Amino acid sequence: MSYAELEALGRKLESIDHAIAILSADEATNMPVGGGEKRAESVSYLHGLRHETATAPQIADWIASAEAEDLSDDEKLGLREFTRVYTNATCLPADFVRRKSQAEMRSEQLWRDLRAKNDWAGFAPALEGVVALAREEARMRADVLGLAPYDALMEQFDPGNRMADVAPVLDKLKAFLVDFVPAAIEAQQRRHAARPLKTVQGPFPMERQRELGLSMMQALGFDFTHGRLDVSHHPFCGGVPTDVRMTTRYRTDDFLTALMGVLHETGHALYEQGLPKGLSHLAVGQARGMAMHESQSLFVEQQLAHAPQFWQWAMPIVSRHLGEDALAGWDIEDVVAAVNKVERGFIRVDADEVTYPLHIILRFELEQALIGGDLEVADLPEAWDAKMTEYLGLSTIDNPRDGPMQDVHWPAGAFGYFPSYTLGAMIAAQQWATIEASQPDVLEHITRGNFSTVNQWRSDNIWTEASRHSTPDLLQRATGKTLDPEIFIAHLKKRYG
Amino acid sequence: MSYAELEALGRKLESIDHAIAILSADEATNMPVGGGEKRAESVSYLHGLRHETATAPQIADWIASAEAEDLSDDEKLGLREFTRVYTNATCLPADFVRRKSQAEMRSEQLWRDLRAKNDWAGFAPALEGVVALAREEARMRADVLGLAPYDALMEQFDPGNRMADVAPVLDKLKAFLVDFVPAAIEAQQRRHAARPLKTVQGPFPMERQRELGLSMMQALGFDFTHGRLDVSHHPFCGGVPTDVRMTTRYRTDDFLTALMGVLHETGHALYEQGLPKGLSHLAVGQARGMAMHESQSLFVEQQLAHAPQFWQWAMPIVSRHLGEDALAGWDIEDVVAAVNKVERGFIRVDADEVTYPLHIILRFELEQALIGGDLEVADLPEAWDAKMTEYLGLSTIDNPRDGPMQDVHWPAGAFGYFPSYTLGAMIAAQQWATIEASQPDVLEHITRGNFSTVNQWRSDNIWTEASRHSTPDLLQRATGKTLDPEIFIAHLKKRYG
């Protein structure tokens, strides 16, 4: 039974992935500083072992004979996804993978150093090398997969996503946002004139913020028998589905940053905890990809926790944990105004729901040009500045640190990944619209802190589906239509118009 | 270069061991309850991988060719220890190892269940199976190693320890203790009559106890850049030398249990942190064995932290962290009386410094008889009861739960391990005596909380020596003599006489 061989292999890989995931979470949350070198050796060994195990030549034979076996429909889906992952993992020559990973590691290290020094000239040659390798990778993957080069890169993050579908959607969104951002800022100024933004007081002791976060996680459906919340410098959601490791970090002068972070990561965590338990050892039983994962975190963060109805339920809980005095008269309206604040800025990760997609579209357009050979790294600062000026009215020409040097993705060789963020935001909006259509009283449930109906829909339509379908197919099956930019646009208009 | 091959293999094994150690520490301190099944799968996979990697047949060839290479003296020691470990790891047939490990797992599970029910009759057949396999293992190991069967088992825990040396030492100690225990209890009664034992008040908040423990660890030389202190149900010292994971547990009505636990585990931790850093990937660079490890924890716990001079320094620190009120007049004398309390009891792990060796000697004698075939499991309760009555005046005949069912060691197949505990206590006393002879002012240092001179001696003579020498050779080189029971006896007489 070759399918059984593949399942046994899947269990091995799951055991290795488990070790890597927990060691990595421990590294970020618990490891003393002197433990880093030996930890890196251990994790790097496990990554090597994982690659070797997942790409062994006999797997191709097992796949071939499994295809001739009498498989159930579920097994057929499992085999298809196994094959897809194996093909993607083995289609690059080992020597190329080594060269690429070394170049990316050096480039990322250099980026960390030179970004702080705002030294584009020093960094550009390393990025040129990384772009050259990314072009080569895209060509090789494209040949094997029968896809266009940039599609072959997107395929690594969101299986099934294609330029032909994604580009028109993001073009429509761009056309809308370039005019909508100034309008939304103007509307916001009018609102702030009528009810000025208040500054929150604090201090908010870390332990109370933590308890607030835990109680929100609980209410949202986080299963504490299969996960925990810790502290790390960069918040993340890691671990494994049976042991999800979420983190946040706290500032005593502000509770919203940590809390919104907790809500975002809870969205990721619910997806992981909601995956089908019996399939966790197979690719088909794992989360679908970056855009779908981001849709789950942004569903909680933006669709739920940016809505005034959410804060009708949440604000009394915030007061109970942090104390009325520390909140100094902050009310539901004040929190809603704070979480929905729109502001033009240079930095993607600091951007809000409205301006964020323009940051993404800028990168999406530039990285297509880079991969396609229509743009060279030497011309990147000017190209970045031109788009930034056009989309957000901000010039970065004198400040590459806040321009093309601001993100780790390109220095580390991740091309094709940026669209996932905004696709995730749009998918979240489309899921919410579908839920609202079938559950007319859903907002009333939210005002009472009852998330069971939205969770049930997401469990049925997203979580338990795992990787049975491609990203666009999964969305279509869940919402009855392909990705529709008008839904996200309507959402933005309603909230910020 | 075959020695270089062995070093590369050592680095692989170190990476696997690192993963297992951190995953296990995380399991005991952080893992949510639902994470257990997948964690067990991952760790069990890594154990299998470790065994496979460490016992690969080509290693024998590398060892053989390394022997012909021109090696430095250090490399020769490294090769000798590598060979010893490889021989011990490969001398049992794989099929036997599987049978044994399955029988032990079942027996241990049964023991957990039936001990609670005090059901010896139900448990005995499983233990018979485990003893039969232990006899078989001892014979097979003995053949390969050219040792007596019980020596071949002790060799797994304390390389170089032999019955011919250990038995006379423990016999002398037994002869002394059988009379000394009643004398010590009588002397204690006189002391308590003059100054009654006081009950401590509390409550002692967990966070304050934790800070007290951390400050003691710091003073004793624990390196917090290479380790941390957490909480677990059963205290342990795990992790790896660059990232030592120590745990304790707290009761708010008593601070001594947690603190003495912290001091004990700190002794283990200092040994791990003090091992030679450049050799951590080779067996020769790792800690010498169970008795030597226990000597390091008992050095801190019994030689240092049972001494009145230690509490002259420590008591003000305890007061500072826990508050004078909570201590309710407890003074140095009260703490010293509490930590040095002597009491006959059924349970080994609850025993004190004076009665503990008799528990060990009882097991040492019985397990020799079990392995040698002079005693059968069916006769164990009577044999246990007879010795317990002779050594400590306590009968266990009606209560197997507190007799031969009290420890996990035999149910889990660990024979030859018990002596390590008491050998460790004796080695600790012998190390202290050697230090005191060469550092006449060492007790004055202790009263000022200066542990640098004892640490320097232990670093030079024990920690940095790692596994370069056998257990008895290491002791002889450090203290100038073989294990001398009179030193430990003198220590007990002085403290409890």
Side-chain angles (χ1 to χ4, degrees):
Chain A
M1 282 296 291
S2 291
Y3 191 78
E5 299 270 23
L6 294 176
E7 290 214 281
L9 173 66
R11 288 186 204 283
K12 260 193 211 182
L13 295 174
E14 184 183 22
S15 283
I16 303 173
D17 290 340
H18 183 114
I20 293 173
I22 299 297
L23 290 171
S24 305
D26 177 89
E27 181 170 341
T29 56
N30 287 322
M31 190 185 75
V33 60
E37 195 182 326
K38 289 290 173 189
R39 178 66 55 90
E41 280 179 27
S42 179
V43 172
S44 152
Y45 164 78
L46 291 171
H47 275 295
L49 175 72
R50 205 241 180 253
H51 180 75
E52 202 182 298
T53 309
T55 59
Q58 67 267 35
I59 299 172
D61 303 334
W62 295 340
I63 288 174
S65 11
E67 270 161 6
E69 284 171 3
D70 185 24
L71 300 180
S72 71
D73 286 352
D74 261 8
E75 287 169 340
K76 278 179 195 154
L77 289 177
L79 179 59
R80 196 184 64 188
E81 191 58 19
F82 211 112
T83 308
R84 196 190 69 75
V85 170
Y86 182 72
T87 306
N88 277 284
T90 52
C91 67
L92 303 178
D95 174 59
F96 175 81
V97 172
R98 249 191 311 277
R99 271 198 298 138
K100 180 169 174 285
S101 119
Q102 279 162 9
E104 287 166 1
M105 200 183 308
R106 277 197 307 271
S107 155
E108 184 179 335
Q109 281 163 358
L110 198 65
W111 170 77
R112 286 190 195 286
D113 181 30
L114 297 184
R115 190 197 169 207
K117 299 177 179 153
N118 211 359
D119 179 0
W120 169 258
F123 175 61
L127 186 58
E128 269 162 22
V130 168
V131 167
L133 288 162
R135 287 171 179 168
E136 207 177 331
E137 177 186 350
R139 270 195 307 273
M140 285 192 280
R141 289 194 183 280
D143 282 349
V144 174
L145 302 174
L147 295 174
Y150 188 77
D151 282 352
L153 296 182
M154 281 204 299
E155 174 75 10
Q156 306 309 303
F157 305 107
D158 296 311
N161 273 9
R162 304 286 175 259
M163 277 293 297
D165 307 313
V166 170
V169 165
L170 293 181
D171 277 349
K172 266 198 194 152
L173 182 59
K174 178 174 75 169
F176 164 73
L177 283 177
V178 168
D179 294 332
F180 185 70
V181 166
I185 290 175
E186 222 182 286
Q188 175 176 262
Q189 281 165 347
R190 283 194 301 273
R191 285 196 303 274
H192 289 180
R195 183 186 172 97
L197 265 187
K198 289 191 219 156
T199 323
V200 73
Q201 297 297 311
F204 307 107
M206 189 183 127
E207 196 43 47
R208 296 221 195 138
Q209 288 193 60
R210 177 175 149 79
E211 278 159 20
L212 169 61
L214 292 174
S215 78
M216 293 270 169
M217 287 165 69
Q218 177 92 45
L220 282 161
F222 185 93
D223 172 3
F224 283 98
T225 68
H226 290 99
R228 47 181 288 137
L229 173 67
D230 290 295
V231 173
S232 69
H233 190 65
H234 294 286
F236 64 82
C237 177
V240 296
T242 53
D243 185 358
V244 171
R245 300 296 171 103
M246 256 179 64
T247 69
T248 189
R249 58 175 167 171
Y250 302 98
R251 297 170 43 164
T252 54
D253 63 344
D254 161 40
F255 71 92
L256 264 182
T257 310
L259 182 56
M260 293 308 285
V262 164
L263 295 170
H264 179 95
E265 303 303 342
T266 300
H268 285 304
L270 293 177
Y271 190 5
E272 290 292 316
Q273 291 185 336
L275 290 165
K277 304 232 178 295
L279 291 177
S280 61
H281 60 297
L282 293 175
V284 74
Q286 290 156 17
R288 174 61 294 183
M290 305 312 307
M292 201 52 71
H293 230 304
E294 199 65 10
S295 82
Q296 296 312 293
S297 55
L298 293 178
F299 186 96
V300 174
E301 182 192 345
Q302 297 185 341
Q303 295 302 318
L304 298 182
H306 278 204
Q309 290 84 356
F310 179 89
W311 292 100
Q312 280 182 46
W313 161 72
M315 206 55 209
I317 300 174
V318 172
S319 302
R320 198 165 67 229
H321 281 94
L322 304 183
E324 293 287 353
D325 289 354
L327 290 170
W330 251 39
D331 207 345
I332 293 174
E333 286 81 359
D334 302 304
V335 172
V336 172
V339 298
N340 289 316
K341 198 169 159 202
V342 185
E343 208 168 11
R344 287 185 193 90
F346 291 106
I347 303 299
R348 176 185 60 86
V349 296
D350 296 336
D352 52 77
E353 194 182 6
V354 182
T355 57
Y356 196 107
L358 290 171
H359 289 272
I360 291 300
I361 290 165
L362 175 151
R363 285 153 178 76
F364 174 62
E365 293 171 345
L366 292 179
E367 70 181 15
Q368 282 172 64
L370 283 169
I371 296 299
D374 305 317
L375 175 67
E376 294 304 325
V377 167
D379 303 321
L380 189 52
E382 287 71 22
W384 186 289
D385 176 67
K387 285 193 187 284
M388 200 67 184
T389 306
E390 183 189 344
Y391 301 164
L392 284 165
L394 299 167
S395 170
T396 58
I397 199 68
D398 297 327
N399 197 12
R401 171 168 41 199
D402 293 343
M405 281 180 93
Q406 74 177 260
D407 285 320
V408 68
H409 301 59
W410 292 347
F415 293 87
Y417 177 72
F418 274 121
S420 305
Y421 292 110
T422 285
L423 295 174
M426 299 173 80
I427 293 171
Q430 190 155 324
Q431 288 173 14
W432 173 260
T434 308
I435 292 173
E436 216 177 7
S438 67
Q439 300 180 14
D441 53 353
V442 63
L443 278 173
E444 281 167 51
H445 287 304
I446 304 303
T447 60
R448 294 196 307 273
N450 172 13
F451 302 99
S452 63
T453 69
V454 292
N455 282 352
Q456 190 62 55
W457 187 94
R458 293 190 295 154
S459 173
D460 293 344
N461 291 281
I462 307 292
W463 305 340
T464 58
E465 289 287 27
S467 283
R468 285 200 179 89
H469 312 290
S470 72
T471 302
D473 286 355
L474 182 55
L475 180 67
Q476 169 119 34
R477 295 168 71 101
T479 67
K481 53 167 85 173
T482 56
L483 187 58
D484 178 358
E486 295 305 336
I487 296 175
F488 185 61
I489 288 171
H491 159 73
L492 293 181
K493 277 185 182 163
K494 188 172 162 203
R495 187 170 283 167
Y496 299 93
Chain B
M1 282 296 292
S2 290
Y3 191 77
E5 299 269 24
L6 294 176
E7 289 213 282
L9 173 67
R11 288 185 204 284
K12 261 194 210 181
L13 295 174
E14 185 183 22
S15 283
I16 303 173
D17 289 340
H18 183 114
I20 293 173
I22 299 297
L23 289 171
S24 304
D26 176 90
E27 182 171 340
T29 56
N30 287 321
M31 190 185 75
V33 59
E37 195 181 326
K38 290 290 173 190
R39 179 66 55 90
E41 280 179 27
S42 179
V43 171
S44 152
Y45 165 78
L46 291 171
H47 275 296
L49 175 72
R50 204 241 181 253
H51 180 75
E52 203 181 298
T53 309
T55 59
Q58 67 267 36
I59 300 172
D61 302 334
W62 294 339
I63 288 174
S65 9
E67 270 161 7
E69 284 170 4
D70 185 24
L71 301 180
S72 71
D73 286 351
D74 261 8
E75 288 169 339
K76 278 180 195 154
L77 288 177
L79 179 59
R80 194 183 63 186
E81 191 58 18
F82 211 111
T83 309
R84 195 189 69 75
V85 171
Y86 182 71
T87 307
N88 277 285
T90 52
C91 67
L92 303 177
D95 174 60
F96 175 81
V97 173
R98 249 191 311 278
R99 270 198 299 138
K100 180 170 174 284
S101 119
Q102 280 163 7
E104 287 166 2
M105 200 182 308
R106 277 196 307 272
S107 154
E108 185 179 334
Q109 282 163 357
L110 198 66
W111 170 78
R112 286 190 196 286
D113 181 31
L114 297 184
R115 190 197 170 207
K117 299 175 180 154
N118 211 359
D119 179 0
W120 168 259
F123 175 62
L127 186 58
E128 269 163 22
V130 168
V131 167
L133 288 162
R135 286 171 179 167
E136 208 177 331
E137 177 186 349
R139 269 197 306 272
M140 285 192 279
R141 289 194 184 281
D143 282 349
V144 174
L145 302 174
L147 295 174
Y150 189 77
D151 282 351
L153 296 183
M154 281 204 299
E155 174 75 10
Q156 307 308 304
F157 305 106
D158 296 311
N161 272 9
R162 304 287 175 257
M163 278 292 296
D165 307 313
V166 170
V169 165
L170 293 181
D171 277 349
K172 264 198 197 156
L173 182 59
K174 177 174 76 169
F176 164 73
L177 283 177
V178 169
D179 294 332
F180 185 69
V181 166
I185 290 175
E186 222 182 287
Q188 176 176 262
Q189 281 165 345
R190 283 193 302 272
R191 286 196 302 275
H192 288 181
R195 184 185 171 96
L197 265 186
K198 288 191 218 157
T199 323
V200 73
Q201 297 298 310
F204 307 106
M206 189 184 127
E207 197 44 49
R208 296 223 194 137
Q209 289 193 60
R210 178 176 150 79
E211 278 158 20
L212 169 62
L214 292 174
S215 77
M216 293 270 168
M217 286 165 70
Q218 177 91 46
L220 282 161
F222 185 93
D223 173 3
F224 282 97
T225 69
H226 290 99
R228 49 182 287 137
L229 174 67
D230 290 295
V231 173
S232 70
H233 189 66
H234 295 286
F236 64 81
C237 177
V240 295
T242 54
D243 185 358
V244 172
R245 300 296 171 103
M246 256 180 64
T247 69
T248 189
R249 59 176 167 170
Y250 303 98
R251 295 170 44 163
T252 54
D253 63 344
D254 161 41
F255 72 93
L256 264 182
T257 310
L259 182 57
M260 294 308 285
V262 164
L263 295 170
H264 179 94
E265 302 303 342
T266 300
H268 285 305
L270 293 177
Y271 190 6
E272 290 293 316
Q273 292 185 335
L275 290 166
K277 304 234 177 293
L279 290 176
S280 61
H281 60 297
L282 293 176
V284 74
Q286 290 156 17
R288 174 62 292 182
M290 305 314 307
M292 202 52 72
H293 230 305
E294 199 64 11
S295 83
Q296 296 312 293
S297 54
L298 293 178
F299 187 95
V300 174
E301 183 192 344
Q302 296 184 342
Q303 294 302 317
L304 298 182
H306 278 203
Q309 291 83 356
F310 179 89
W311 291 99
Q312 280 182 44
W313 162 73
M315 206 54 209
I317 299 174
V318 173
S319 301
R320 197 165 68 230
H321 281 93
L322 304 184
E324 292 286 354
D325 288 354
L327 290 170
W330 251 39
D331 207 345
I332 294 174
E333 285 82 358
D334 301 306
V335 172
V336 172
V339 298
N340 289 316
K341 198 170 158 201
V342 185
E343 208 167 12
R344 288 185 192 90
F346 291 107
I347 304 299
R348 175 184 61 86
V349 296
D350 296 336
D352 53 78
E353 194 182 7
V354 182
T355 57
Y356 197 106
L358 289 172
H359 289 271
I360 291 299
I361 290 164
L362 174 150
R363 285 153 178 75
F364 174 64
E365 292 171 345
L366 291 179
E367 70 180 16
Q368 282 173 63
L370 282 169
I371 296 299
D374 305 318
L375 175 67
E376 294 305 325
V377 168
D379 303 321
L380 190 52
E382 288 71 23
W384 185 289
D385 177 68
K387 286 194 187 285
M388 200 67 186
T389 305
E390 184 189 344
Y391 301 164
L392 284 165
L394 299 168
S395 170
T396 58
I397 199 68
D398 298 327
N399 198 11
R401 171 167 42 200
D402 293 342
M405 281 181 92
Q406 73 177 261
D407 286 320
V408 69
H409 301 58
W410 292 347
F415 293 87
Y417 177 72
F418 274 120
S420 304
Y421 292 110
T422 285
L423 295 174
M426 299 173 80
I427 292 172
Q430 190 156 324
Q431 288 172 13
W432 173 261
T434 309
I435 293 173
E436 216 177 6
S438 66
Q439 301 179 15
D441 53 354
V442 64
L443 278 173
E444 282 167 50
H445 287 303
I446 303 304
T447 60
R448 294 197 305 275
N450 172 14
F451 301 99
S452 63
T453 69
V454 291
N455 281 353
Q456 190 61 54
W457 187 93
R458 292 190 297 154
S459 173
D460 293 343
N461 292 281
I462 307 292
W463 305 340
T464 57
E465 288 287 25
S467 284
R468 286 201 179 89
H469 312 290
S470 72
T471 302
D473 286 355
L474 182 55
L475 180 67
Q476 169 120 35
R477 295 168 72 101
T479 66
K481 55 167 82 172
T482 56
L483 187 59
D484 178 358
E486 295 304 335
I487 296 175
F488 185 61
I489 288 171
H491 158 73
L492 293 181
K493 277 185 181 163
K494 188 172 163 204
R495 188 170 281 167
Y496 300 93

